[in-house]
Amino acid sequence: HEKHFILSRQLLRSGTSIGANINEALAAYSKKDFIYKMMIALKEAQETEYWLKLIDASEIINDFKFSDFSADVIEIQKMLTAIINTSKKNLN
C-alpha cells in the first residue's frame, strides 16, 4: 500500500533525525549551538509522535506496538526538554 509506505518513510526520516541532531549537538562548537541542535532534535521527536499517531489511525500497526513506540518517543521528548532547560539555565 502506497499510503503505508509514505507514512512509514516519514516516520523513519523524523525518527532517525532525532539521533542525528543529538549527535550533532554533542559536537557543537558552543553552548548555544548545543541547545539549538537539541531543540531541533526535540522538534523531530514531536514530528515523530505526529507520524506515529497517523500510522495508528491508519491501523498499520497494532495498538500494543503503538503504545510502546508512543511511550518511547514521549520519554525522549521529556529527556530532551530537560536537557534543553538545564542547558539554558547553565548558559550564563
Side-chain angles (χ1 to χ4, degrees), residues 64-87:
F64 178 75
K65 286 183 181 177
F66 170 76
S67 37
D68 283 350
F69 294 145
S70 183
D72 288 345
V73 78
I74 289 168
E75 188 63 28
I76 289 168
Q77 289 175 25
K78 288 177 184 177
M79 288 187 286
L80 289 169
T81 299
I83 290 167
I84 291 165
N85 289 340
T86 300
S87 297

Short mmCIF file of all heavy atoms in Angstrom, two decimals, residues 64-87:
data_model
loop_
_atom_site.label_atom_id
_atom_site.label_comp_id
_atom_site.label_asym_id
_atom_site.label_seq_id
_atom_site.Cartn_x
_atom_site.Cartn_y
_atom_site.Cartn_z
N PHE A 64 -0.89 -2.33 20.61
CA PHE A 64 0.17 -2.67 21.56
C PHE A 64 1.50 -2.05 21.12
O PHE A 64 2.18 -1.41 21.91
CB PHE A 64 0.31 -4.19 21.68
CG PHE A 64 1.41 -4.61 22.61
CD1 PHE A 64 1.25 -4.48 23.98
CD2 PHE A 64 2.59 -5.11 22.12
CE1 PHE A 64 2.27 -4.87 24.86
CE2 PHE A 64 3.62 -5.50 22.98
CZ PHE A 64 3.45 -5.37 24.35
N LYS A 65 1.86 -2.23 19.85
CA LYS A 65 3.10 -1.64 19.34
C LYS A 65 3.03 -0.14 19.36
O LYS A 65 4.00 0.53 19.68
CB LYS A 65 3.39 -2.14 17.92
CG LYS A 65 3.86 -3.56 17.85
CD LYS A 65 4.20 -3.95 16.42
CE LYS A 65 4.65 -5.40 16.36
NZ LYS A 65 4.92 -5.82 15.00
N PHE A 66 1.87 0.44 19.02
CA PHE A 66 1.74 1.89 19.03
C PHE A 66 2.02 2.45 20.41
O PHE A 66 2.75 3.41 20.56
CB PHE A 66 0.35 2.33 18.56
CG PHE A 66 0.11 3.79 18.79
CD1 PHE A 66 0.69 4.74 17.96
CD2 PHE A 66 -0.65 4.23 19.86
CE1 PHE A 66 0.50 6.09 18.18
CE2 PHE A 66 -0.85 5.58 20.09
CZ PHE A 66 -0.27 6.51 19.24
N SER A 67 1.44 1.85 21.46
CA SER A 67 1.65 2.39 22.79
C SER A 67 3.10 2.29 23.22
O SER A 67 3.61 3.17 23.89
CB SER A 67 0.72 1.78 23.83
OG SER A 67 0.48 0.45 23.64
N ASP A 68 3.80 1.23 22.80
CA ASP A 68 5.24 1.13 23.10
C ASP A 68 6.02 2.23 22.41
O ASP A 68 6.83 2.93 23.02
CB ASP A 68 5.79 -0.22 22.65
CG ASP A 68 5.43 -1.36 23.59
OD1 ASP A 68 4.91 -1.09 24.68
OD2 ASP A 68 5.69 -2.52 23.20
N PHE A 69 5.79 2.39 21.12
CA PHE A 69 6.51 3.41 20.34
C PHE A 69 6.17 4.81 20.84
O PHE A 69 7.03 5.67 20.99
CB PHE A 69 6.18 3.31 18.86
CG PHE A 69 6.66 2.05 18.20
CD1 PHE A 69 5.91 1.46 17.20
CD2 PHE A 69 7.85 1.45 18.57
CE1 PHE A 69 6.33 0.30 16.58
CE2 PHE A 69 8.29 0.28 17.95
CZ PHE A 69 7.53 -0.30 16.95
N SER A 70 4.90 5.04 21.10
CA SER A 70 4.45 6.34 21.57
C SER A 70 5.07 6.68 22.92
O SER A 70 5.54 7.80 23.13
CB SER A 70 2.92 6.36 21.66
OG SER A 70 2.47 7.63 22.04
N ALA A 71 5.09 5.72 23.83
CA ALA A 71 5.69 5.94 25.15
C ALA A 71 7.18 6.26 25.02
O ALA A 71 7.70 7.14 25.71
CB ALA A 71 5.49 4.71 26.04
N ASP A 72 7.86 5.57 24.11
CA ASP A 72 9.29 5.82 23.89
C ASP A 72 9.54 7.23 23.39
O ASP A 72 10.42 7.93 23.87
CB ASP A 72 9.88 4.81 22.90
CG ASP A 72 10.01 3.41 23.48
OD1 ASP A 72 9.91 3.25 24.72
OD2 ASP A 72 10.21 2.47 22.68
N VAL A 73 8.77 7.66 22.40
CA VAL A 73 9.02 8.99 21.82
C VAL A 73 8.63 10.09 22.82
O VAL A 73 9.29 11.13 22.88
CB VAL A 73 8.32 9.17 20.45
CG1 VAL A 73 6.84 9.45 20.57
CG2 VAL A 73 9.00 10.25 19.64
N ILE A 74 7.64 9.86 23.64
CA ILE A 74 7.28 10.84 24.67
C ILE A 74 8.39 10.92 25.72
O ILE A 74 8.74 12.01 26.19
CB ILE A 74 5.91 10.51 25.29
CG1 ILE A 74 4.80 10.79 24.26
CG2 ILE A 74 5.67 11.28 26.59
CD1 ILE A 74 3.44 10.26 24.62
N GLU A 75 8.97 9.79 26.08
CA GLU A 75 10.09 9.78 27.03
C GLU A 75 11.30 10.52 26.45
O GLU A 75 11.98 11.27 27.15
CB GLU A 75 10.46 8.34 27.39
CG GLU A 75 11.48 8.24 28.51
CD GLU A 75 11.00 8.80 29.83
OE1 GLU A 75 9.78 8.80 30.10
OE2 GLU A 75 11.85 9.24 30.62
N ILE A 76 11.56 10.33 25.18
CA ILE A 76 12.66 11.06 24.51
C ILE A 76 12.39 12.56 24.55
O ILE A 76 13.30 13.35 24.83
CB ILE A 76 12.84 10.55 23.06
CG1 ILE A 76 13.42 9.13 23.07
CG2 ILE A 76 13.72 11.50 22.24
CD1 ILE A 76 13.37 8.43 21.72
N GLN A 77 11.15 12.95 24.31
CA GLN A 77 10.80 14.37 24.36
C GLN A 77 11.04 14.94 25.76
O GLN A 77 11.57 16.05 25.90
CB GLN A 77 9.33 14.58 23.98
CG GLN A 77 9.05 14.36 22.52
CD GLN A 77 7.57 14.44 22.21
OE1 GLN A 77 6.79 15.08 22.92
NE2 GLN A 77 7.15 13.78 21.15
N LYS A 78 10.68 14.19 26.79
CA LYS A 78 10.89 14.65 28.16
C LYS A 78 12.38 14.81 28.47
O LYS A 78 12.79 15.78 29.10
CB LYS A 78 10.26 13.66 29.16
CG LYS A 78 8.76 13.70 29.17
CD LYS A 78 8.21 12.64 30.12
CE LYS A 78 6.70 12.59 30.09
NZ LYS A 78 6.16 11.52 30.94
N MET A 79 13.19 13.84 28.02
CA MET A 79 14.63 13.92 28.26
C MET A 79 15.24 15.11 27.53
O MET A 79 16.05 15.85 28.10
CB MET A 79 15.31 12.62 27.83
CG MET A 79 15.04 11.46 28.76
SD MET A 79 16.01 9.98 28.37
CE MET A 79 15.19 9.39 26.92
N LEU A 80 14.86 15.30 26.27
CA LEU A 80 15.39 16.43 25.50
C LEU A 80 14.97 17.76 26.11
O LEU A 80 15.77 18.69 26.20
CB LEU A 80 14.94 16.34 24.04
CG LEU A 80 15.60 15.22 23.23
CD1 LEU A 80 14.89 15.05 21.89
CD2 LEU A 80 17.07 15.50 23.02
N THR A 81 13.73 17.85 26.56
CA THR A 81 13.25 19.07 27.21
C THR A 81 14.06 19.37 28.47
O THR A 81 14.47 20.51 28.70
CB THR A 81 11.75 18.95 27.55
OG1 THR A 81 11.03 18.76 26.32
CG2 THR A 81 11.24 20.19 28.26
N ALA A 82 14.33 18.35 29.27
CA ALA A 82 15.13 18.53 30.49
C ALA A 82 16.55 18.97 30.14
O ALA A 82 17.10 19.87 30.79
CB ALA A 82 15.15 17.24 31.30
N ILE A 83 17.14 18.36 29.12
CA ILE A 83 18.50 18.74 28.70
C ILE A 83 18.52 20.19 28.24
O ILE A 83 19.42 20.96 28.60
CB ILE A 83 19.01 17.79 27.60
CG1 ILE A 83 19.28 16.39 28.18
CG2 ILE A 83 20.26 18.35 26.92
CD1 ILE A 83 19.47 15.31 27.12
N ILE A 84 17.53 20.58 27.43
CA ILE A 84 17.47 21.94 26.91
C ILE A 84 17.30 22.93 28.06
O ILE A 84 18.00 23.94 28.14
CB ILE A 84 16.33 22.08 25.89
CG1 ILE A 84 16.68 21.29 24.61
CG2 ILE A 84 16.05 23.55 25.56
CD1 ILE A 84 15.50 21.05 23.69
N ASN A 85 16.36 22.65 28.96
CA ASN A 85 16.11 23.57 30.08
C ASN A 85 17.33 23.72 30.98
O ASN A 85 17.68 24.82 31.39
CB ASN A 85 14.89 23.12 30.88
CG ASN A 85 13.60 23.32 30.12
OD1 ASN A 85 13.52 24.11 29.18
ND2 ASN A 85 12.57 22.58 30.50
N THR A 86 17.98 22.61 31.30
CA THR A 86 19.19 22.65 32.14
C THR A 86 20.30 23.42 31.43
O THR A 86 20.99 24.22 32.04
CB THR A 86 19.66 21.22 32.49
OG1 THR A 86 18.61 20.55 33.19
CG2 THR A 86 20.90 21.25 33.34
N SER A 87 20.45 23.18 30.15
CA SER A 87 21.49 23.86 29.36
C SER A 87 21.23 25.35 29.31
O SER A 87 22.19 26.15 29.40
CB SER A 87 21.56 23.28 27.95
OG SER A 87 21.92 21.92 27.99
#
